[in-house]
């Protein structure tokens, strides 16, 4: 079973990945920087969401410019599902609201940790 230090490390990794994903959504980071942790379809979905949440998108609401801006990770936790697989939850706050993020991280030899599920509330 996963050690306490491994669980803590995975929780911190989940927080860092979440922070980076929120920076992509805010337009402050290129989505390709997450390629080491995520498959291409996740990156494409993240890029699409970032494009849709731009303040200059057609029909955008006036306060849309604040969505994902100034996001900060408030907490992160990880739970062992089985050896090499964790599910993590992260709480982050931007200028409009707090949001929950759920991730599943799996470790593969020679590849390292990869995100196999991601939901940003």
């Amino acid at each position: 079973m996963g050690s306490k230090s491994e669980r803590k490390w995975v929780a911190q990794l989940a927080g860092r990945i979440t922070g980076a994903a929120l920076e992509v959504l805010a337009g402050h980071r290129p989505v390709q920087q997450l390629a080491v942790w995520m498959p291409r379809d996740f990156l494409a979905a993240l890029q699409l969401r970032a494009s849709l949440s731009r303040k200059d998108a057609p029909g955008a609401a006036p306060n849309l410019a604040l969505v994902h801006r100034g996001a900060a990770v408030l907490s992160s936790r990880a739970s062992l599902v089985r050896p090499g697989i964790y599910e993590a939850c992260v709480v982050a706050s931007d200028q409009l609201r707090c949001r929950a993020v759920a991730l599943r991280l799996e470790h593969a030899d020679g590849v390292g940790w990869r995100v196999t599920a991601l939901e940003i509330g």
Side-chain angles (χ1 to χ4, degrees):
M1 302 217 40
S3 67
K4 184 177 179 178
S5 63
E6 182 182 68
R7 186 177 70 240
K8 182 179 178 181
W9 190 89
V10 171
Q12 291 172 346
L13 177 62
R16 289 192 306 269
I17 291 170
T18 295
L22 293 175
E23 288 176 3
V24 168
L25 295 177
H28 299 304
R29 175 188 292 262
V31 73
Q32 294 81 5
Q33 288 185 359
L34 293 171
V36 69
W37 294 299
M38 293 183 193
R40 288 183 187 178
D41 56 332
F42 285 27
L43 298 174
L46 199 58
Q47 185 62 56
L48 175 62
R49 183 170 174 175
S51 297
L52 293 173
S53 66
R54 290 180 47 158
K55 67 181 179 187
D56 57 350
N63 64 352
L64 191 58
L66 300 176
V67 175
H68 308 298
R69 303 308 192 268
V73 171
L74 303 178
S75 67
S76 61
R77 298 182 190 275
S79 298
L80 182 68
V81 175
R82 59 180 175 262
I85 301 174
Y86 283 85
E87 289 185 348
C89 61
V90 178
V91 176
S93 177
D94 60 33
Q95 292 181 9
L96 287 182
R97 63 183 181 153
C98 285
R99 62 183 69 242
V101 179
L103 303 93
R104 184 176 183 110
L105 294 121
E106 298 185 18
H107 187 268
D109 290 335
V111 178
W113 290 96
R114 299 278 294 171
V115 176
T116 58
L118 175 68
E119 289 294 328
I120 300 174

